[in-house]
């Protein structure tokens, strides 16, 4: 059986989701989990885009043990040099060079003639090959490119040293029949003395990203690109967890295999969801909370008699319903440290000390601390450590038949604390009005929702908030995790407000 490589771009293309902004520590944490999940290549970022992107790519390159670490670069020597610098310490480095080839992109974005595009591909792929053994080339907007010109661009890249060709459906324009045929056309017509790996990269604008990726595999693609939970620009990217499960469940049809560890799927999805602030829809395939729920009486009856009647995927296959952790308030530091290591966390002494302190505080409030609780605890710690602004205190005055009052204190850096009070029609509104006064801002609250991390009355609360700038509609996400839902709500709003301040400034 042929092996299908999985190329994850959650930290590059996925981070282009409106409102999503991972810091370096979060990116390394996600990268480690992706490696545990079985990703073959991770696109760690776009090194020349910013200092933060460069540092994140460099940090991931230094931490990855098994997977290839790739950096994105335009067909510009400065981009390639910056990627080389960021990836110097990677065990398995790769560069991903791209240039648009569709008529609309060449004319209006690049302002280049077709001959100039071909010359640029030849020059810059050749240059990249002098610095990297693995060179991947992408003709951006390939599915809207004239076929013969696309073949010429791809052949030029191969002749210049590229051994991986990605065929991006950049705007989600294609369909499975067309996209599959495009791979078949390219594979049958390219000429090379060495093996060339073809890769799919699909966007979900028409809801066909996963179907297109599978069609590419049917027609010879050996690599699939995408993101966890399908996050990304506009309608998002191919959801890698969907492709992984489709290939496994229907291996009788596709006759391929992958290196994905399927029972790490849910944990990987949850981590990306929490750190990105992008919730997973309840009816999302594979990892949605309703994916293994049965409401219909006929379905329930069938599942009770034999799960195969209505379940083609067992929850345990993707890591749903993991065992709870028998740790409580009497558990010691050693047991806690051992469990955190088993969960994939490599903590410094200072981080372990802080995490254990938080664990003991949580254990005093909960009957039992689960793995989900611990993962949420670490996500919350990571979020708070990355904040320039820290929530210090929330005080409420509740009146059952009147306006609610809140007093909020926030540390704004350099040990300076600001306190403001406000009223609202509810407790959450009063808290958020107080925070707006501290930041002197007037964002629009576009989204607010609460999710219980575990079941029961002692569950931790996970709150997601999305703010938007009234003028340019730019979005900013924040998450807050706490045993108290009001405290979690305040943390989420502070996190989103911090991003709002950095990008928009005071209203």
């Amino acid at each position: 059986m042929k092996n299908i490589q999985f190329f994850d771009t959650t930290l590059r293309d996925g981070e282009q989701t409106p409102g999503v902004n991972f810091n370096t520590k979060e990116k390394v944490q996600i990268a480690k989990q992706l490696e545990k999940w079985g990703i073959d290549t991770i696109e760690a970022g776009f090194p020349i885009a910013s200092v933060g992107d460069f540092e994140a790519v460099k940090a991931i390159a230094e931490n990855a043990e098994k997977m290839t670490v790739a950096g994105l670069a335009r067909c510009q020597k400065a981009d390639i040099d910056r990627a080389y610098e960021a990836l110097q310490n990677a065990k398995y480095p790769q560069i991903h060079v791209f240039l648009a080839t569709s008529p609309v992109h060449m004319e209006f974005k690049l302002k280049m003639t077709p001959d100039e595009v071909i010359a640029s591909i030849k020059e810059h792929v050749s240059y990249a090959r002098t610095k990297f053994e693995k060179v991947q080339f992408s003709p951006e907007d390939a599915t809207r490119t004239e076929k013969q010109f696309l073949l010429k661009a791809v052949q030029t890249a191969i002749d210049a040293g590229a051994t991986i060709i990605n065929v991006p459906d950049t705007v989600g324009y294609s369909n499975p029949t067309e996209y599959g045929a495009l791979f078949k056309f390219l594979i049958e017509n390219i000429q090379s003395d060495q093996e060339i790996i073809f890769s799919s990269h699909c966007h979900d604008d028409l809801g066909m990203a996963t179907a297109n990726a599978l069609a590419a595999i049917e027609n010879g693609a050996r690599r699939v690109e995408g993101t966890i939970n399908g996050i990304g620009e506009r309608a998002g990217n191919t959801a890698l967890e969907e492709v992984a499960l489709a290939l496994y469940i229907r291996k009788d049809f596709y006759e391929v295999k992958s290196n994905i560890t399927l029972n790490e799927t849910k944990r990987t999805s949850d981590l990306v969801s929490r750190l990105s602030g992008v919730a997973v829809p309840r009816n999302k395939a594979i990892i949605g909370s309703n994916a293994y729920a049965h409401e219909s009486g006929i379905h329930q009856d069938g599942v009770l008699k034999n799960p195969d009647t209505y379940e083609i995927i067992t929850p345990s296959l993707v890591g749903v319903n993991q065992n709870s952790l028998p740790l409580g308030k009497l558990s010691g530091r050693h047991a806690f440290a051992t469990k955190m290591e088993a969960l994939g966390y490599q903590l410094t002494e200072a981080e372990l000390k802080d995490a254990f302190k938080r664990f003991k505080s949580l254990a005093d409030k909960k009957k039992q601390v689960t793995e989900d609780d611990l993962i949420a605890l670490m996500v919350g710690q990571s979020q708070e450590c990355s904040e320039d602004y820290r929530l210090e205190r929330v005080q409420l005055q509740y009146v059952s038949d009147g306006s609610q009052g809140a007093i909020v204190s926030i540390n704004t850096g350099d040990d300076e604390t600001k306190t403001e009070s406000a009223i609202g029609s509810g407790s959450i509104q009063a808290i958020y009005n107080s925070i707006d006064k501290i930041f002197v801002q007037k964002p629009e609250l576009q989204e607010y929702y609460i999710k219980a991390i575990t079941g029961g009355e002692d569950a931790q609360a996970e709150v997601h908030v999305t703010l938007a700038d009234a003028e340019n509609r730019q979005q900013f996400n924040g998450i807050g995790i706490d045993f108290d839902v009001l405290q979690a709500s305040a943390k989420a709003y502070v996190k989103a407000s911090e991003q709002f301040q950095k990008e928009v400034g005071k209203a």
Side-chain angles (χ1 to χ4, degrees), residues 235-248:
N237 292 57
T238 300
L240 289 181
E241 68 277 2
E242 294 178 7
V243 177
L245 265 294
L247 295 180
Y248 176 80

Side-chain angles (χ1 to χ4, degrees), residues 122 125-126 129 152-163 165 190-194 196:
K122 180 179 180 180
V125 172
S126 298
R129 189 64 181 81
K152 184 177 181 180
V154 167
Q155 187 66 60
T156 300
I158 291 171
D159 293 342
T163 56
I165 298 296
I190 60 108
Q191 298 180 16
S192 176
D193 294 332
Q194 58 181 322
I196 303 299

Side-chain angles (χ1 to χ4, degrees), residues 439-487:
F439 285 113
V440 194
Q441 63 183 15
K442 293 181 180 179
E444 289 184 7
L445 177 59
Q446 286 203 329
E447 197 170 299
Y448 169 90
Y449 71 89
I450 305 169
K451 181 174 74 173
I453 292 173
T454 54
E457 62 182 11
D458 61 353
Q460 288 194 84
E462 179 178 315
V463 175
H464 292 246
V465 164
T466 300
L467 302 182
D469 176 29
E471 293 184 5
N472 62 21
R473 313 310 302 165
Q474 188 175 0
Q475 294 181 339
F476 307 92
N477 294 330
I479 66 170
I481 298 172
D482 198 89
F483 187 78
D484 182 271
V485 67
L486 296 176
Q487 187 81 358

Side-chain angles (χ1 to χ4, degrees), residues 249-308:
I249 296 297
R250 294 306 313 275
K251 53 181 174 286
D252 62 314
F253 178 80
Y254 293 104
E255 297 183 332
V256 297
K257 61 182 180 177
S258 76
N259 295 324
I260 298 298
T261 304
L262 295 177
N263 62 9
E264 288 290 332
T265 301
K266 185 63 165 63
R267 182 178 295 168
T268 307
S269 168
D270 286 348
L271 179 64
V272 171
S273 176
R274 284 173 179 156
L275 292 181
S276 68
V278 179
V280 174
R282 294 175 66 86
N283 65 334
K284 171 75 168 63
I286 313 302
I287 38 78
S289 60
N290 285 355
Y292 308 99
H294 302 276
E295 179 71 19
S296 165
I298 295 174
H299 286 218
Q300 291 173 347
D301 180 64
V303 169
L304 288 171
K305 290 174 179 175
N306 186 334
D308 288 344

Side-chain angles (χ1 to χ4, degrees), residues 393-399 403-408 422-424 426-432 434 484-487 490:
R393 191 165 185 252
V394 176
Q395 182 178 338
L396 289 167
Q397 179 185 29
Y398 179 78
V399 182
S403 297
Q404 313 308 317
I407 302 174
V408 178
I423 60 173
S427 298
I428 301 297
Q429 189 180 74
I431 291 171
Y432 288 0
S434 299
D484 182 271
V485 67
L486 296 176
Q487 187 81 358

